[in-house]
């Protein structure tokens, strides 16, 4: 059956920021700016935004094969549509290198679409918002395909496949809701200053269960609860095991309990014992792989407040191949991952599962099931974790 809106075929526009997220695996905590992007490539990072956009288009076409697709030539959309097995009309041909101005121009060129999909992170969401403001009453509803290092805004789907499914569902419903666009100053972020700023709102499809929601902070957590979690983790650490500490204030407290100086926003590797030591500080994905290969390893990760993500948001250094190396190193899947969260943070999820979105559905499915969540000193619970690619399909 064909889907039409006002007598015309349902039309979805696609804009891809090809370099979104490239700084994550490289440990650069963002991807803004040519200098950061060059450094990420020099560290061996591989662009993933196009592949994630293709996964969204593939899910959209599976549900809505007659959809009309409009996009930008090359890496800003055309390549992803082709990789998904689709065809699209081109509205813009940017130069060899793309910048924020190209994203804004692409959005303005797609003023007539019914829904605009964009693949990127919070910086891309800001560029989209700027262009939508210029369109005024002609601005379409939008939906983000998460592909950035940090995805704090509420206008993103939980994962690429979910974005495609939401887009397909919008053809029959058309209802919209407001979602917030927030971003960080990346230079300040690299210095450990985390202060998300609200830039405005956009209209998104009104289907809350497939949207990630805005990240919420941990300010309500008492210092005692965080320190209690750290004490519990350190008390249960075993010698000759390498522990990978993900970003966050709670994991920082674990390092402090060990007497080590770890990083707030990086990924660190520590070893316990009579003389705890910092094996790797603020490591890249490649460095982390070298540190865990052949060693028994456990991942100690915190939860993104309000969203529930454990993997795939701000800790892309813990890649699918790192996960496979951790499992192969002698740590069974059930013991390879320990999650840290205050009881308040878990309660705020309202029963929704924790989520993994590494970009590899197979790796995410290997983690799915139940995981131990440490909530305080001598306090823990068992909580469900799911692959973001499948939870809401």
């Amino acid at each position: 059956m064909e889907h039409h809106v006002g007598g015309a075929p349902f039309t979805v526009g696609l804009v891809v920021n090809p370099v979104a997220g490239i700084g994550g695996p490289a440990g650069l905590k963002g991807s803004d700016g040519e200098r950061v992007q060059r450094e990420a490539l020099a560290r061996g990072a591989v662009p993933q935004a196009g592949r994630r956009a293709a996964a969204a288009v593939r899910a959209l076409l599976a549900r809505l094969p007659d959809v009309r697709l409009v996009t930008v030539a090359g890496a800003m959309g055309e390549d992803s549509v082709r990789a998904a097995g689709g065809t699209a009309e081109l509205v813009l041909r940017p130069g060899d290198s793309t910048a924020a101005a190209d994203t804004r121009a692409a959005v303005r060129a797609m003023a007539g679409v019914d829904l605009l999909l964009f693949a990127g992170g919070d910086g891309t969401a800001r560029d989209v918002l700027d262009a939508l403001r210029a369109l005024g009453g002609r601005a379409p509803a939008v939906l983000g395909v998460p592909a950035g290092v940090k995805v704090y805004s509420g206008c993103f789907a939980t994962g690429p496949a979910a974005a495609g499914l939401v887009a397909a569902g919008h053809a029959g419903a058309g209802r919209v809701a407001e979602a917030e666009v927030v971003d960080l100053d990346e230079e300040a972020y690299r210095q450990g200053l985390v202060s998300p700023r609200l830039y405005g709102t956009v209209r998104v499809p009104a289907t809350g269960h497939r949207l990630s929601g805005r990240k919420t902070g941990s300010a309500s957590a008492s210092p005692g609860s965080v320190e209690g979690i750290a004490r519990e983790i350190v008390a249960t650490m075993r010698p000759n095991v390498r522990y990978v500490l993900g970003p966050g204030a709670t994991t920082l407290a674990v390092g402090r309990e060990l007497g080590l100086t770890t990083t707030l926003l990086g990924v660190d590797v520590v070893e316990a014992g009579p003389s705890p030591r910092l094996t790797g500080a603020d490591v890249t994905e490649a460095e982390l792989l070298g540190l865990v290969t052949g060693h028994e390893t456990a991942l100690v990760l915190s939860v993104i407040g309000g969203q529930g993500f454990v993997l795939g948001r701000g800790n892309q250094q813990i890649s699918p191949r790192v996960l496979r190396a951790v499992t192969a190193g002698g740590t069974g899947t059930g013991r390879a991952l320990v999650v840290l969260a205050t009881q308040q943070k878990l309660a705020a999820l309202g029963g929704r599962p924790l989520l993994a979105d590494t970009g590899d559905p197979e790796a995410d499915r290997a983690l799915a099931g139940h995981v131990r969540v440490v909530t305080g000193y001598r306090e823990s619970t068992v909580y469900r974790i799911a692959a973001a690619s499948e939870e809401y399909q």
Side-chain angles (χ1 to χ4, degrees):
M1 182 179 70
E2 292 190 359
H3 293 79
H4 297 270
V5 178
F10 182 71
T11 303
V12 173
L14 174 68
V15 180
V16 178
N17 176 358
V19 296
I22 196 170
L28 296 172
K29 307 167 187 66
S31 306
D32 291 352
E34 290 185 12
R35 179 185 61 81
V36 172
Q37 294 158 17
R38 286 195 301 270
E39 178 63 22
L41 291 170
R43 295 186 183 187
V46 177
Q48 298 291 331
R51 186 172 62 82
R52 292 175 72 83
V57 174
R58 196 173 295 114
L60 168 62
L61 290 172
R63 288 287 180 90
L64 203 64
D66 60 325
V67 66
R68 175 177 171 244
L69 292 170
V70 178
T71 192
V72 184
M76 287 192 68
E78 180 186 17
D79 295 347
S80 296
V81 172
R82 287 183 175 178
T87 59
E89 301 170 27
L90 304 182
V91 297
L92 196 68
R93 292 185 178 275
D96 293 336
S97 61
T98 60
D102 295 297
T103 297
R104 293 191 289 267
V107 173
R108 290 193 297 269
M110 297 182 192
V113 303
D114 297 304
L115 177 68
L116 175 68
L117 284 177
F118 69 93
D122 291 321
T124 310
R126 283 183 58 186
D127 294 331
V128 170
L129 174 60
D130 287 342
L132 292 175
R133 284 170 170 164
L135 292 175
R138 297 182 298 141
V142 303
L143 179 65
V145 179
V149 176
K150 55 194 188 317
V151 183
Y152 286 180
S153 300
C155 57
F156 288 90
T158 54
L165 297 177
V166 171
H170 192 61
R175 294 181 299 106
V176 296
E178 295 290 321
E180 296 176 328
V181 173
V182 300
D183 198 10
L184 300 173
D185 179 329
E186 285 195 358
E187 288 303 320
Y189 186 69
R190 292 183 183 101
Q191 302 301 316
L193 303 175
V194 185
S195 53
R197 175 185 170 190
L198 173 65
Y199 282 88
T201 62
V202 291
R203 295 183 306 131
V204 298
T207 172
H209 71 290
R210 288 194 180 109
L211 299 185
S212 62
R214 178 181 173 179
K215 177 191 180 299
T216 59
S218 304
S220 60
S222 68
S225 61
V226 171
E227 297 302 330
I229 290 172
R231 286 175 57 204
E232 175 64 17
I233 288 295
V234 172
T236 57
M237 283 182 166
R238 295 174 292 128
N240 302 317
V241 176
R242 292 188 170 176
Y243 292 87
V244 177
L245 305 183
T250 311
T251 49
L252 184 70
V254 174
R256 191 164 53 243
E257 183 71 16
L258 287 167
L260 301 173
T261 302
T262 55
T263 57
L264 174 63
L265 301 173
V267 172
D268 307 302
V269 183
V270 301
E271 293 183 44
S275 300
R277 68 190 186 102
L278 183 63
T279 308
D282 201 5
V283 296
T284 67
E285 188 268 354
E287 291 168 340
L288 181 58
L289 181 64
L291 288 170
V292 304
T293 299
H295 294 273
E296 186 174 358
T297 305
L299 306 173
V300 181
L301 307 177
S302 59
V303 176
I304 300 255
Q307 296 182 342
F309 284 96
V310 174
L311 280 162
R313 300 293 186 272
N315 57 11
Q316 287 91 346
Q317 300 94 317
I318 306 171
S319 67
R321 64 176 186 165
V322 167
L323 289 173
R324 287 189 286 270
V326 168
T327 303
T331 307
T333 303
R335 297 179 64 186
L337 177 62
V338 178
V339 177
L340 315 183
T342 62
Q343 293 178 353
Q344 300 98 308
K345 188 175 282 189
L346 288 183
L349 293 177
R352 289 178 288 121
L354 303 175
L355 296 172
D357 180 24
T358 65
D360 182 337
E362 183 179 341
D364 296 340
R365 283 193 293 269
L367 292 170
H370 290 82
V371 66
R372 179 188 178 219
V373 180
V374 177
T375 57
Y377 183 59
R378 295 185 177 178
E379 293 179 354
S380 66
T381 188
V382 174
Y383 202 93
R384 188 164 73 91
I385 184 170
S389 60
E390 295 186 347
E391 172 59 19
Y392 299 114
Q393 291 191 35

